Amino acid sequence: MTGLQAGSSAEDVISALARTSGDVAAARRVARRFAALDEGERSALLWSEDAGARLVAVLLLVQAMRERPDDELTEEYLAAAKAERFDDPLLVDLAAEELVGAPLVASGSTGQLFALAKSDVAMVRRIAVVATLAFVKQGDADVALGIVGRLVRERGDTVQSAVGWVLREVGKRASEPALVAFLERQGRWLSPGARATATEHLPPTERDRLRG
């Protein structure tokens, strides 16, 4: 298998994926099989017109980041997102925390997140939101609420659904009082779906009050 991985092409990966169900679990198996795919072939997958190829490419980037953290992996991922190659939120939700958020936690810097939140591309703004989960899981609510506060009025579901998800995690993993305070100030701007997600783990009385 190692030999196959080392000498494989993007076409080999697409062919392997085509023989599966094509879901995320199958894409993960294919990504593990082709873990040694070289950078050029991985890039070809990332910029492919094939949606499954892009999914495997993103999973390959995550695998590579876990094996050896490298800022170039983050930049490769963000370049594709900024070029509007991502049309499926899964490509954000499966990778932004590890490819964007975790390196920023390690560096102690948050400026890039706030820059991403200003992007004209909705998926890039979603990356900014989802990446804050890396901070939330360290018990830091402030970064997530800072990003969400800049995007909470956005109407599109691409960002709103991520906002609801991250707010829920803030309450579960970082600070329930901070979540409640944020919702009291800005909850009215959330879509009904995002508000429901954000409050689903709160005590029933508090949840009902904040859903209003």
Side-chain angles (χ1 to χ4, degrees), residues 1 10 39 46 72 112 118 122 134 151 167 178 183 186 211:
M1 183 176 292
E39 294 176 9
L46 189 61
E72 290 187 3
Q112 186 177 29
K118 296 177 182 178
L151 296 171
L167 286 174
L183 293 173
Q186 302 203 57
R211 288 180 180 179

Side-chain angles (χ1 to χ4, degrees), residues 101 105 109-110 113-114 117 125-152 159 162-175 178-179 182 185-186 190:
V105 169
S109 172
T110 60
L113 286 179
F114 289 91
R125 298 194 298 277
R126 186 181 180 96
I127 287 173
V129 176
V130 175
T132 66
L133 289 171
F135 291 86
V136 171
K137 291 177 181 180
Q138 298 295 318
D140 182 346
D142 292 343
V143 174
L145 295 179
I147 294 294
V148 167
R150 284 160 171 76
L151 296 171
V152 69
V159 172
V163 163
W165 172 24
V166 166
L167 286 174
R168 179 189 66 196
E169 295 305 303
V170 166
K172 286 173 59 180
R173 296 172 179 268
S175 172
L179 169 63
F182 179 88
R185 293 193 309 272
Q186 302 203 57
L190 292 171

Side-chain angles (χ1 to χ4, degrees), residues 7-206:
S8 297
S9 68
E11 288 77 9
D12 293 326
V13 176
I14 293 171
S15 295
L17 187 63
R19 295 191 294 271
T20 72
S21 59
D23 60 9
V24 173
R28 288 189 191 279
R29 290 193 293 272
V30 171
R32 287 194 295 269
R33 177 182 172 189
F34 291 93
L37 194 72
D38 72 39
E39 294 176 9
E41 296 299 324
R42 184 182 66 207
S43 180
L45 290 174
L46 189 61
W47 291 83
S48 170
E49 294 301 318
D50 185 277
R54 295 194 297 273
L55 174 58
V56 172
V58 166
L59 293 172
L60 285 168
L61 287 169
V62 172
Q63 288 178 179
M65 182 67 87
R66 289 172 179 172
E67 183 176 337
R68 185 176 65 83
D70 187 337
D71 290 344
E72 290 187 3
L73 297 169
T74 301
E75 292 309 313
E76 183 177 349
Y77 176 70
L78 289 176
K82 291 173 182 177
E84 301 186 65
R85 303 302 298 166
F86 296 172
D87 54 6
D88 186 340
L90 271 176
L91 301 181
V92 174
D93 300 350
L94 294 171
E97 178 185 341
E98 293 189 70
L99 290 175
V100 181
L104 295 177
V105 169
S107 71
S109 172
T110 60
Q112 186 177 29
L113 286 179
F114 289 91
L116 294 173
K118 296 177 182 178
S119 172
D120 293 333
V121 179
M123 284 294 183
V124 175
R125 298 194 298 277
R126 186 181 180 96
I127 287 173
V129 176
V130 175
T132 66
L133 289 171
F135 291 86
V136 171
K137 291 177 181 180
Q138 298 295 318
D140 182 346
D142 292 343
V143 174
L145 295 179
I147 294 294
V148 167
R150 284 160 171 76
L151 296 171
V152 69
R153 300 188 187 205
E154 185 160 335
R155 294 296 90 203
D157 189 61
T158 296
V159 172
Q160 276 280 329
S161 59
V163 163
W165 172 24
V166 166
L167 286 174
R168 179 189 66 196
E169 295 305 303
V170 166
K172 286 173 59 180
R173 296 172 179 268
S175 172
E176 185 175 301
L179 169 63
V180 170
F182 179 88
L183 293 173
E184 287 174 340
R185 293 193 309 272
Q186 302 203 57
R188 66 187 182 279
W189 302 113
L190 292 171
S191 68
R195 189 181 301 113
T197 300
T199 56
E200 66 184 19
H201 288 286
L202 292 176
T205 302
E206 192 79 303

